[in-house]
Amino acid sequence: MKITQMRVNHVEKPLGFQITPASFSWKVQENGTAKKQKYAQIRVYKGTELIFDSGAQESADSLDYCAELALSPRTRYRWTVEVTGDNGETALGESWFETGKMDEAWSGKWITPDLDSSIQPALRKTFTLEKKTDNARLYLCALGVYECYINGKKVGKEYLAPGYHSYDFHLQAQTYDVAEYLKEGTNELVIWIGDGWFRGRLGFDGGYTNLYGNKAYAIGELYVDEVLTVCTDETWQCKSSPAVFSNIYDGEIYDARLEDALTSGEDWKGVTAEAPDRCGSLCDRYSLPIVKKETFTPTEILHTPKDEIVLNFGQNLTGWVEFDCCIPEGFQIRLTASEIMQDGCFYHENLRTAKTEYTYISSGKAAHARPHFTFYGFQYMKVEYLNEAGEILSNSGETESWRPDLRTFAAYHLRSDFDQIGTIVTGVEKVNQLFSNALWGQKDNFLDVPTDCPQRDERLGWTGDAQVFSETACYNMFVPAFYRKYLWDMRAEQSILGGSVPNVVPRLKEGMVAEHGSCPWGDAGVVIPWNTYLHYGSKTLLRECYPGMKAWVDCQRKKDEAVEGPHLVKDGFHFADWLALDNDQPGPFGATDPLYIASAYYYRCAKSVAEAAAVLGYEEDAGEYAGLARDILKAIQDKYFDEEGLCTSKTQTGSALAIAFGLNPEKAEKGAEGKALRTRVEANANHLNTGFVGTTILCPALTGSGSNDTAVTLLLNEDFPSWLYCVNLGATTIWERWNSVLPDGHISPEGMNSLNHYSYGSIAAWMYGSLGGLRPLKPGFRKAVIEPHADRRLGSFSCELDTSAGLYKSAWRYQEDGSVMYEIEVPFNAEAELILNGETRILEAGRYVF
């Protein structure tokens, strides 16, 4: 046996994260005869002192062992877990975690530069060390976004710190191990600060600026050998950084001519001790760091009919492009990002007001150029060269020798630092591309918050998009820590809205993006934490999220009870089946009754809160919300179902909701709603016409009601509207609309056309859960159901899922004689119910072939 993936609060070796409450988890790799864990013992040490010992416990849960610990700030702890298998074999694993500032008072002061507020500043402090050290920690936060340099070297591998969160409720400080950057003698610590989400523009139609503050701020403390050595105060200095302009939407202008000024002692200004006045208090970080995860080089260098040079990186990705160059002083290289070409030429009008540019102004020296305080969603980058007067130079004819080799330009994908846990491979290459598109939609939009899109003047944490995709997200990637942070922000926003969930989290407090309480956007407050619990099995995280789940249902109930009548959602604005194709009226709203959809989600959320309360031992709540759920269900059945027990909202989405949420009355003939759904799909030429709500549940409802063949037909359709329609037109991510691009390759004339929206990528959850048949029967996949649905048209299917309980595999392929071979793998200390041809087998850990 071997112990792997030892985590605290779902993070391996967390440095400076919010640790309380402390949940320990681990996995066991077993290649011998042990099948289950018999005992586990967890110990925690502060130095050599043992501060916690669980003893050997049969009940110690490798998914979530919550320990009551008395922790000190700025302290590293070592922890071990010893597992004994049912065959007597043992394994010992060791790891560590380190606390940040916790509740310790800060000696450092908030400081702001004595510069015009439009300047993107660099803050500096020099100090002396008598000797080099192996023990140094920097505790730091700056607003908007920052990078820190010690003796000219960037500290750490993280970018865009401190990330995007609800700054008016909390400010997350980062902890850095900086011993390697320090030296004996004089040292220099410099912090560059960009506007970021804090004071840069956010929102539509030009958006809003200075939402949280109109100045740049920083606070920090440097401890060397556990002694406070440097802290932010009035002795610091400031001047403009070389990043003279930056904005999340518009990009960055970097003037390398200012680099030398940062190394001189001249023209530095002072700073003022002043704290941001519209922000919450400092706390240890929840956010995973934003890091570089993958690298791409150009697959094509295009010279367009308009004399443009465009780099095609072959994948729509989130991040930026870096390059080496040595060009004349004052000359510029400008990159502009886009998702698609039009008629062989560069195009980015679908990004609306976002400029999405990076301009590098040369100092005349050889340099490596990259952005610092922005990011882009792109597949293509237009490259322009400008002289010192700012005039664009022609790309025709002979070109100057100083122009860099475009083949060496590299695109770096940035996202929060989590990893892929699920893979799917089928016998149809276009379906494999679709899965890749859904995966990349998540990679590109999970940059500190689950955004709707990563490229245009939006990039906001829309809760509806996050809600419908959350099951797929939990299959694809290991995201409990990512969601922990997002849900903390959500609960904070709920606290001033009477429990209502904003349409966007963090919530912009102005304009349309300040609105809240719309179905199924608000239902993210329950659906996301419940899906997270089902997939990862952490009661500790569920308990942390429970107040927000309960608050959303209570908010719904208060509105419901304010209007006489049965327990239903009776009014209000609801996005409902957003962007469905089944409405004869123009506009983005689907034909399914929005109040039916809202009431169905009201029922689902009340039921989930009751189930969560039961899991957590809140018996009174469990009974109360189970009763509420029953009342809502009866009201839905009375209002929205006919005498035969069929849904009166006669749309694909209407029937799919009834099946997926279990809404049909008992009097309904078994399978009747499924038959109605199949008939509606067939009547639409075997095509879907669903939007955000219906698409997520359509194929699961078809499979669950005995029409898996119809679900696979929808998967394999290649004409509009279908998933493979997008694949055939070269999509490498999921589009916002079914027809965001027309068959001739032109962007649809409809407004609001992002080519990187993950919502319709929710089909991947059905691929895992129905084609592979792999679903959690007990939270965290401690017990799974494996009920694969083979289809000859796919030829073969294989999914692997590295769950919190370990690695599962469900695969099938058709043989030459027409039979189907199934390969199943169940991990150590887990079991599965395998359902094949109506027969159920219980499988313990091991590998199987049927």
Side-chain angles (χ1 to χ4, degrees), residues 323-329 331 333 360 362-368 400-405:
F323 56 89
D324 293 313
C325 66
C326 185
I327 64 177
E329 182 177 359
F331 278 52
I333 297 178
Y360 174 79
S362 175
S363 65
K365 302 176 182 177
H368 181 79
E400 300 84 349
S401 59
W402 51 259
R403 297 196 185 198
D405 184 350

Side-chain angles (χ1 to χ4, degrees), residues 774-793:
L774 182 55
R775 305 184 298 276
L777 200 55
K778 289 185 178 180
F781 287 87
R782 178 66 71 216
K783 186 174 184 179
V785 60
I786 303 177
E787 187 181 7
H789 290 79
D791 190 292
R792 184 182 294 276
R793 290 170 290 178

Side-chain angles (χ1 to χ4, degrees), residues 579-713:
L579 297 184
L581 301 173
D582 56 359
N583 198 336
D584 293 335
Q585 302 300 314
F589 299 98
T592 308
D593 185 339
L595 296 182
Y596 162 63
I597 295 175
S599 295
Y601 267 95
Y602 182 23
Y603 164 69
R604 178 185 180 183
C605 289
K607 184 170 179 284
S608 294
V609 168
E611 292 171 338
V615 166
L616 298 172
Y618 305 151
E619 295 182 5
E620 186 175 339
D621 277 6
E624 177 185 345
Y625 289 95
L628 175 61
R630 287 192 296 270
D631 291 342
I632 298 169
L633 179 59
K634 184 179 185 304
I636 290 172
Q637 292 171 344
D638 289 346
K639 183 173 179 63
Y640 294 108
F641 288 81
D642 62 22
E643 294 179 356
E644 296 179 350
L646 296 178
C647 180
T648 56
S649 216
K650 299 186 183 302
T651 61
Q652 292 180 12
T653 295
S655 284
L657 264 178
I659 296 166
F661 287 12
L663 304 179
N664 293 88
E666 290 181 5
K667 63 184 177 181
E669 182 182 341
K670 185 177 181 180
E673 195 72 66
K675 182 178 179 182
L677 176 57
R678 179 172 184 143
T679 298
R680 290 188 185 117
V681 173
E682 291 172 345
N684 196 44
N686 278 318
H687 284 71
L688 53 76
N689 55 22
T690 49
F692 274 35
V693 170
T695 300
T696 304
I697 56 176
L698 180 58
C699 285
L702 285 165
T703 299
S705 58
S707 293
N708 188 70
D709 57 335
T710 303
V712 175
T713 296

Side-chain angles (χ1 to χ4, degrees), residues 384-395:
E384 295 175 299
Y385 303 96
L386 295 80
N387 62 23
E388 54 192 347
E391 300 165 333
I392 298 175
L393 303 177
S394 172
N395 293 313

Side-chain angles (χ1 to χ4, degrees), residues 706-745:
S707 293
N708 188 70
D709 57 335
T710 303
V712 175
T713 296
L714 295 180
L715 176 70
L716 295 176
N717 283 337
E718 297 193 26
D719 55 338
F720 171 79
S722 69
W723 288 279
L724 299 191
Y725 167 83
C726 312
V727 170
N728 285 338
L729 286 171
T732 61
T733 44
I734 300 294
W735 297 346
E736 182 173 17
R737 294 176 180 268
W738 292 111
N739 63 341
S740 284
V741 179
L742 302 178
D744 63 3

Side-chain angles (χ1 to χ4, degrees), residues 12 83 154 227 266 306 360 396 423 506 522 528 598 605 643 683 765:
E12 293 190 59
V83 174
K154 180 184 177 302
V227 175
E266 301 176 356
K306 293 183 179 180
Y360 174 79
S396 301
T423 58
I528 295 176
C605 289
E643 294 179 356

